[in-house]
């Protein structure tokens, strides 16, 4: 028997789960991927980052986007630290994107948005190989 009515928002386990989900949602890189006729377009939101802090790689059909930013904020009073804060933000996302002409991939970073254009490789019908059974 419960003396207090159960409120969903008061349920401890559910509350912690919701808080943790919100915590991680706020700290992941938001990405949009569009499948267009001749290429894929990927847009990643990276507000507060500078171009040198961002790395993009395409290797073995895997596109990797990494961004890392470190900042310091100092407040001094007569030469002594009253407060000194440091922050570090790092994002890492990977996507499997097959059949890309990797020599023609382009990337532009503007107004906190990274835009990638991944041209699709021309489809080539392969003959295949007959395999001899021993």
């Amino acid at each position: 028997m419960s003396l207090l009515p159960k409120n969903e928002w008061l349920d401890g386990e559910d509350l912690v789960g919701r808080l943790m989900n919100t915590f991680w949602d706020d700290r992941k890189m938001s990405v949009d991927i569009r499948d267009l006729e001749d290429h894929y377009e990927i847009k990643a939101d990276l507000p507060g980052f500078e171009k040198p802090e961002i790395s993009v790689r395409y290797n073995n059909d895997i596109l990797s986007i990494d961004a890392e930013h470190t900042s310091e904020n100092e407040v001094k009073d007569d030469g002594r630290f009253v407060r000194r804060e440091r922050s570090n933000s790092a994002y890492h996302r990977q996507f499997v994107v097959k059949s890309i002409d990797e020599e023609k991939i382009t990337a532009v970073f503007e107004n906190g948005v990274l835009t990638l254009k991944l041209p699709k490789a021309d489809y080539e019908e392969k003959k295949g190989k007959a395999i001899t059974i021993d």
Side-chain angles (χ1 to χ4, degrees), residues 1-67:
M1 180 173 161
S2 176
L3 298 176
L4 297 172
K6 181 178 178 183
N7 290 323
E8 284 187 28
W9 62 273
L10 286 176
D11 184 10
E13 185 176 335
D14 191 42
L15 178 62
V16 171
R18 286 183 191 171
L19 287 173
M20 288 307 295
N21 286 340
T22 303
F23 175 82
W24 291 115
D25 282 347
D26 291 343
R27 284 156 181 78
K28 68 180 181 183
M29 178 190 326
S30 297
V31 177
D32 295 331
I33 302 174
R34 294 178 57 200
D35 183 354
L36 302 168
E37 190 174 321
D38 63 341
H39 70 281
Y40 294 100
E41 181 183 76
I42 298 175
K43 291 192 176 199
D45 290 340
L46 293 165
F49 285 85
E50 299 292 328
K51 190 164 53 170
E53 299 171 323
I54 302 168
S55 169
V56 180
R57 295 185 44 82
Y58 183 77
N59 189 22
N60 295 326
D61 296 334
I62 297 175
L63 176 72
S64 299
I65 304 171
D66 294 289

Side-chain angles (χ1 to χ4, degrees), residues 96-130:
V96 175
V97 190
K98 295 185 177 189
S99 302
I100 298 299
D101 186 349
E102 57 187 271
E103 298 299 319
K104 295 182 181 174
I105 296 174
T106 60
V108 176
F109 185 65
E110 192 172 64
N111 297 326
V113 178
L114 174 66
T115 303
L116 303 169
K117 182 178 177 182
L118 288 78
K120 295 177 183 177
D122 293 330
Y123 179 76
E124 193 177 299
E125 185 73 37
K126 296 189 177 179
K127 218 175 180 185
K129 177 184 175 188

